[in-house]
C-alpha cells in the first residue's frame, strides 16, 4: 500500500484517531519506497493433498478471496496425455493479475505420473476417471478401472479433498472431444454449463462414453450432493494463445470470478515516528487483505540496518472499527538512536497474494 503521506478518506479517519491517541508528532519526511521483497503472485497458499503411485506430489493452489464461504475448484488434468488443461492452470497460478470474487482452488494435474509418462493412465495403468465410487464397474484395457473404487492414491487424494472442501463448482478439463458436457453437472446446473460453453467458446455435447461413464469423478461429485462438477473438453491441438488467454479467463468468469490488481493485495499499513532524546518510538498498524485476522510480520530498520523482526499483534482499536477487521494489528518499538538525522524503514511481509512486501521509510531528527 502507498505510504501514509496522502491517505484516502478511510485511512484519513484512522490517522485522525491515531493522532489523538498518540499525541503530537514531530514533522516527518515520509519517503515512498515500495520494495518487492517477494515474487509477485496471485497464490494465497499451496497444499499437497496427496501423492501419486510413484510418490509425486499432487498440489492444490489457493487463489481468489478466502473469505468467500463456498469455494470452487479447477482440475487441469486427470489423464496424463491431455496436457492442455495444465497450461490453463499454470497460466492462472503464475498470472500477473489477481483472481477476485471467488474462492478458487486449482489442481494442475491429479495424475503427475501419467503427465510425466505422457499416458492416459496412472503408473498402475488405471484410468482415474473410472476409479470413483459412482457406479464403479470392473473395466479392462485402456479404461482399466482398478481393483475397486478409489483403489488409486490419486483418486483418493482428490476424493478426500473435494469431500472436505465441498466446492460449489468443479470444472474438470480434458481433451479431445471439444465441448462442454450436458450430462452429470451439466444437466443439474444448466446455467453454469452454459457459462462454461460460452466463456470457453465450446459447443454443448453429451459425453456418455458407451452409454454411461462408470466411475467418473463428475458423476460421483454431482450426485454426492456437495456441489456440481462439469467436464469441459478441448480439442487435440488448442493453441497456447487460446489456453492462456481465452480459456484462462473463461473458466474464472464461468465460475463467478473476475480479475483485479495484485498490488491491491499487499499489506496495508501506517508508520508514525516519535523521536526523543537517544531514541525514536516507531509505531503504527498493518493488516493483510487476504488474511484479515492474521498478524503481519514487520522488519524494523534504522539507517538500512535491521534492528528487529516482530509481528503487528498489539491492540489498535481504530483500525478494527474503520476497516471492520478482527484481531489486533498494531505494533510499537522504541529504537535507540544517536542525536541527528535518521531514517527508519519498516518492511511489511505479505501473507497471501500480491506484488511483494511493501516498505515504508520515515526520516526524522533525534534530539540530543
Amino acid at each position: 500500500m502507498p505510504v501514509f503521506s496522502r491517505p484516502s478518506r478511510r485511512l484519513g479517519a484512522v490517522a485522525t484517531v491515531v493522532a489523538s491517541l498518540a499525541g503530537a508528532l514531530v514533522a516527518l519526511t515520509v519517503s515512498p519506497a515500495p520494495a518487492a521483497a517477494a515474487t509477485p503472485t496471485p497464490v494465497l497458499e499451496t497444499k499437497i493433498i496427496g501423492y501419486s503411485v510413484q510418490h509425486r506430489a499432487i498440489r492444490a493452489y489457493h487463489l481468489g478471496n478466502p473469505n468467500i464461504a463456498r469455494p470452487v475448484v479447477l482440475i487441469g488434468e486427470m489423464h496424463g496425455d491431455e496436457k492442455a488443461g495444465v497450461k490453463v492452470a499454470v497460466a492462472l497460478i503464475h498470472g500477473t493479475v489477481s483472481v477476485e470474487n471467488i474462492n478458487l482452488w486449482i489442481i494442475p494435474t491429479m495424475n503427475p505420473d501419467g503427465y510425466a509418462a505422457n499416458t492416459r493412465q496412472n503408473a498402475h495403468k488405471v484410468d482415474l476417471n473410472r476409479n470413483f465410487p459412482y457406479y464403479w464397474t470392473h473395466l479392462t484395457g485402456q479404461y482399466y478401472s482398478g481393483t475397486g473404487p478409489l483403489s488409486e492414491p490419486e483418486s483418493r487424494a482428490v476424493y478426500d479433498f473435494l469431500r472436505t472442501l465441498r466446492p460449489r463448482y468443479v470444472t474438470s478439463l480434458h481433451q479431445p472431444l471439444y465441448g462442454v458436457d450436458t450430462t452429470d453437472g451439466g444437466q443439474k446446473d444448466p446455467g453454469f454449463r452454459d457459462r462454461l460453453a460460452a466463456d470457453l467458446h465450446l459447443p454443448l455435447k453429451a459425453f456418455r462414453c458407451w452409454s454411461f461413464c462408470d466411475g467418473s469423478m463428475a458423476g460421483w461429485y454431482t450426485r454426492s450432493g456437495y456441489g456440481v462438477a462439469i467436464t469441459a473438453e478441448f480439442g487435440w491441438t488448442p493453441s497456447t494463445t487460446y489456453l492462456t488467454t481465452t480459456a484462462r479467463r473463461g473458466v474464472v468468469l464461468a465460475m463467478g470470478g473476475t480479475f483485479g490488481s495484485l498490488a491491491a493485495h499487499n499489506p496495508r499499513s501506517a508508520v508514525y515516528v516519535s523521536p526523543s532524546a537517544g531514541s525514536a518510538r516507531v509505531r503504527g498498524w498493518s493488516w493483510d487483505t487476504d488474511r484479515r485476522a492474521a498478524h503481519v510480520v514487520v522488519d524494523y530498520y534504522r539507517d538500512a540496518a535491521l534492528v528487529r523482526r516482530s509481528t503487528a499483534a498489539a491492540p489498535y482499536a481504530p483500525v478494527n472499527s474503520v476497516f471492520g477487521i478482527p484481531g489486533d494489528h498494531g505494533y510499537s518499538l522504541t529504537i535507540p538512536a544517536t542525536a541527528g538525522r535518521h531514517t527508519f524503514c519498516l518492511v511489511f511481509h505479505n501473507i497471501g497474494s500480491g506484488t511483494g512486501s511493501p516498505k515504508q521509510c520515515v526520516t526524522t531528527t533525534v534530539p540530543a
Side-chain angles (χ1 to χ4, degrees):
M1 180 174 177
V3 183
F4 202 74
S5 54
R6 301 183 69 180
S8 67
R9 189 172 299 174
R10 294 184 76 189
L11 295 180
V14 175
T16 301
V17 177
V18 171
S20 67
L21 295 175
L25 301 178
V26 299
L28 307 176
T29 302
V30 182
S31 305
T39 303
T41 178
V43 176
L44 300 167
E45 60 179 320
T46 305
K47 287 185 177 180
I48 294 177
I49 65 171
Y51 291 89
S52 67
V53 171
Q54 296 177 341
H55 206 69
R56 290 184 171 94
I58 301 170
R59 290 183 169 85
Y61 297 82
H62 195 188
L63 290 77
N65 185 348
N67 301 306
I68 294 176
R70 290 296 304 276
V72 296
V73 170
L74 172 66
I75 299 176
E77 179 192 68
M78 296 180 71
H79 299 133
D81 58 349
E82 301 173 8
K83 300 184 185 298
V86 178
K87 291 185 178 181
V88 177
V90 170
L92 286 165
I93 292 166
H94 295 289
T96 57
V97 293
S98 62
V99 174
E100 306 289 345
N101 299 322
I102 54 173
N103 185 352
L104 173 64
W105 286 89
I106 299 175
I107 303 172
T109 178
M110 60 173 284
N111 185 7
D113 296 347
Y115 181 87
N118 198 36
T119 60
R120 176 184 179 89
Q121 303 83 2
N122 73 347
H124 284 161
K125 303 188 184 303
V126 173
D127 184 338
L128 298 178
N129 209 24
R130 302 293 180 268
N131 193 235
F132 280 80
Y134 174 69
Y135 284 99
W136 180 91
T137 190
H138 182 66
L139 301 174
T140 59
Q142 180 182 3
Y143 304 104
Y144 173 49
S145 56
T147 58
L150 300 178
S151 62
E152 304 311 297
E154 299 93 342
S155 305
R156 292 194 298 271
V158 171
Y159 175 83
D160 290 341
F161 181 71
L162 294 179
R163 283 190 68 195
T164 300
L165 198 65
R166 302 193 178 192
R168 179 182 182 187
Y169 298 135
V170 179
T171 301
S172 181
L173 301 180
H174 291 260
Q175 292 173 269
L177 299 182
Y178 193 70
V180 172
D181 188 19
T182 59
T183 71
D184 296 327
Q187 182 177 10
K188 185 175 180 179
D189 191 332
F192 176 36
R193 174 200 69 198
D194 292 348
R195 291 196 303 274
L196 269 178
D199 292 331
L200 293 177
H201 300 178
L202 293 173
L204 295 171
K205 293 182 178 180
F207 300 143
R208 299 188 184 279
C209 303
W210 303 275
S211 62
F212 184 82
C213 295
D214 303 284
S216 73
M217 185 279 297
W220 160 72
Y221 189 74
T222 296
R223 287 159 182 82
S224 69
Y226 302 142
V228 169
I230 294 183
T231 297
E233 298 238 5
F234 303 118
W236 266 132
T237 57
S239 71
T240 297
T241 299
Y242 165 78
L243 295 173
T244 57
T245 56
T246 302
R248 174 191 67 87
R249 179 177 176 83
V251 292
V252 169
L253 293 179
M255 290 192 285
T258 58
F259 295 95
S261 167
L262 278 181
H265 291 261
N266 291 342
R268 301 189 181 190
S269 56
V271 177
Y272 306 93
V273 177
S274 301
S276 58
S279 66
R281 184 186 177 198
V282 181
R283 54 190 165 175
W285 50 265
S286 181
W287 60 280
D288 194 286
T289 58
D290 293 324
R291 294 282 187 252
R292 295 183 177 186
H295 299 304
V296 172
V297 173
V298 182
D299 289 343
Y300 300 80
Y301 291 84
R302 180 193 57 224
D303 301 325
L306 178 64
V307 176
R308 182 177 297 180
R309 170 174 288 184
S310 66
T311 56
Y316 222 116
V319 175
N320 303 110
S321 60
V322 171
F323 291 107
I325 57 174
D328 296 325
H329 301 282
Y331 64 83
S332 178
L333 180 67
T334 298
I335 301 175
T338 58
R341 298 283 285 179
H342 293 279
T343 299
F344 300 92
C345 293
L346 279 73
V347 174
F348 302 94
H349 289 255
N350 202 351
I351 297 175
S353 60
T355 59
S357 299
K359 178 169 69 174
Q360 295 192 29
C361 295
V362 173
T363 299
T364 188
T365 300
V366 174

